[in-house]
Amino acid sequence: MAKVNTWHAGLVFAILGLLCPLPSVANWLLQCSSCVDQALYSDTKIKQNIEDADLQTILQQMKHIRIREFDHAEDEFYNKFFSKRQLGIMAHELQPIMPTAVGIVPERRWTNPKGVTNKTSNVMLIRDTHLLMAALGALQLLAKKADVWDESIDKLQKDVLAIIEEQNDSRQKREDMLQQIVRTIAKVEVMQHGFAKTEESFARLDGQVTTFKEVQDQRHMSLTTSLGQVQNRTDAQDASIARFQEAFRAAVDREARADLVEKRKRTEAEVEVALVRRSIEKLRWDEDQKTIQLRNE
């Protein structure tokens, strides 16, 4: 902000120096009271049609004004305290850009140092106060824009600081990510080494499994053969057992029949014994009855 204001102040002083030369006795504009620009009288009582100037247009006009360096052809038209060569503006170049700042002096008579009377006709004249006010208007517009620029610069500085802080955070995050990637790569290498060993172990295990399968196949074949033999033996044993069962059943049947015959005979003998005992008891009872009758008689 300080740099912009310093630049503006320098611009104003330069324009004022060009447009407002120091008073001098030899300057005919300062000697001629009727030629003094009445725009310096700024009381509103002597003004009409007062309105705000278009500062944007004035700034564009100021941008197109060409600053020239030239020598004065006559001593009457420059301040003799300074060199004949000076910086200035050509009226015929200013007229297309800023017509209201240029006027024409129809005729003026003056005497040179040698006493010769000279006359100039239709000399173009620049209204320095118009240029001064245009410069002030352009300066105001630039100052307003400078305020916006300063705000934008401050905002950009804050954004840049935020971006720098974010970049630092991103850098730290990238470093952390790189460290994590390095650790991950190390873990992957260790896992690859472990996988290689595991693959070797699986290869050995495949060989052992193949050998085990071959042994198991051989054992299965032997077991199948043995089972076939056992099955044959079992069939023979089953036949022997069946024959034994038939013989045993026949023997049991014979024994059962013999037991039944013996039991029947024993039962018949017991029945006969019982009948004999009954007959004996009956005889005894009859004898006892007879004895009782005899006693009673």
Side-chain angles (χ1 to χ4, degrees):
M1 183 68 181
K3 293 182 179 179
V4 175
N5 292 335
T6 303
W7 180 79
H8 289 165
L11 177 62
V12 171
F13 291 145
I15 294 174
L16 292 177
L18 291 174
L19 300 180
C20 300
L22 295 175
S24 174
V25 176
N27 193 322
W28 65 273
L29 285 177
L30 297 179
Q31 294 174 359
C32 180
S33 59
S34 62
C35 298
V36 175
D37 195 338
Q38 299 301 316
L40 294 177
Y41 296 93
S42 297
D43 196 324
T44 56
K45 293 184 292 186
I46 58 175
K47 307 296 181 182
Q48 293 180 351
N49 301 324
I50 300 173
E51 60 184 9
D52 292 333
D54 187 357
L55 299 183
Q56 189 66 41
T57 302
I58 292 174
L59 179 61
Q60 295 299 323
Q61 291 174 347
M62 295 294 292
K63 287 168 61 177
H64 291 87
I65 294 176
R66 299 180 64 181
I67 305 299
R68 297 287 196 169
E69 188 177 2
F70 53 84
D71 293 330
H72 288 280
E74 299 291 343
D75 294 340
E76 180 66 18
F77 297 99
Y78 78 98
N79 192 327
K80 296 180 179 58
F81 288 105
F82 302 100
S83 172
K84 281 187 176 183
R85 189 161 187 82
Q86 71 172 56
L87 297 175
I89 300 171
M90 299 293 101
H92 70 281
E93 294 177 350
L94 179 63
Q95 188 175 21
I97 300 171
M98 196 178 292
T100 56
V102 179
I104 297 177
V105 178
E107 181 179 347
R108 182 174 182 277
R109 297 179 182 273
W110 50 277
T111 303
N112 62 15
K114 296 180 180 181
V116 178
T117 301
N118 294 319
K119 181 181 72 171
T120 55
S121 300
N122 298 323
V123 175
M124 300 184 75
L125 184 68
I126 294 176
R127 178 184 283 181
D128 55 355
T129 54
H130 188 95
L131 292 178
L132 175 61
M133 297 305 161
L136 289 176
L139 180 60
Q140 285 181 352
L141 181 60
L142 290 175
K144 292 178 181 179
K145 290 185 177 182
D147 291 337
V148 177
W149 296 337
D150 290 338
E151 293 177 359
S152 301
I153 290 172
D154 292 338
K155 184 178 179 181
L156 287 175
Q157 287 178 348
K158 292 180 181 178
D159 293 340
V160 168
L161 291 176
I163 291 171
I164 292 173
E165 185 176 357
E166 186 176 356
Q167 287 178 347
N168 293 330
D169 293 338
S170 300
R171 187 180 298 108
Q172 184 64 35
K173 290 180 180 179
R174 285 198 302 271
E175 292 177 356
D176 295 339
M177 290 178 64
L178 288 174
Q179 292 179 359
Q180 292 179 359
I181 290 171
V182 170
R183 289 195 295 269
T184 303
I185 291 173
K187 290 180 181 179
V188 169
E189 290 179 353
V190 173
M191 292 177 66
Q192 286 179 349
H193 184 67
F195 285 149
K197 290 185 176 180
T198 304
E199 289 179 354
E200 292 178 359
S201 301
F202 274 118
R204 290 195 299 270
L205 183 61
D206 288 337
Q208 293 175 358
V209 169
T210 302
T211 304
F212 178 75
K213 285 182 178 179
E214 292 176 355
V215 173
Q216 288 298 109
D217 291 337
Q218 293 176 359
R219 290 181 179 178
H220 180 70
M221 292 177 64
S222 300
L223 182 61
T224 303
T225 304
S226 300
L227 287 175
Q229 295 175 357
V230 170
Q231 184 68 32
N232 294 330
R233 292 177 183 176
T234 302
D235 293 338
Q237 290 177 357
D238 290 339
S240 299
I241 290 170
R243 289 192 299 271
F244 175 75
Q245 287 178 349
E246 290 177 358
F248 181 76
R249 188 177 295 110
V252 169
D253 289 339
R254 287 194 300 272
E255 290 291 333
R257 284 194 296 270
D259 290 339
L260 289 174
V261 171
E262 186 177 356
K263 285 181 179 180
R264 187 178 62 185
K265 289 180 178 180
R266 189 181 300 115
T267 303
E268 289 177 354
E270 289 177 354
V271 171
E272 289 178 358
V273 170
L275 290 173
V276 171
R277 287 178 179 176
R278 186 174 180 183
S279 297
I280 292 171
E281 288 178 356
K282 186 176 180 181
L283 290 173
R284 285 179 180 177
W285 188 78
D286 290 338
E287 288 178 357
D288 290 335
Q289 290 294 327
K290 288 177 179 182
T291 301
I292 292 169
Q293 288 178 1
L294 290 175
R295 286 177 182 177
N296 292 328
E297 291 178 356

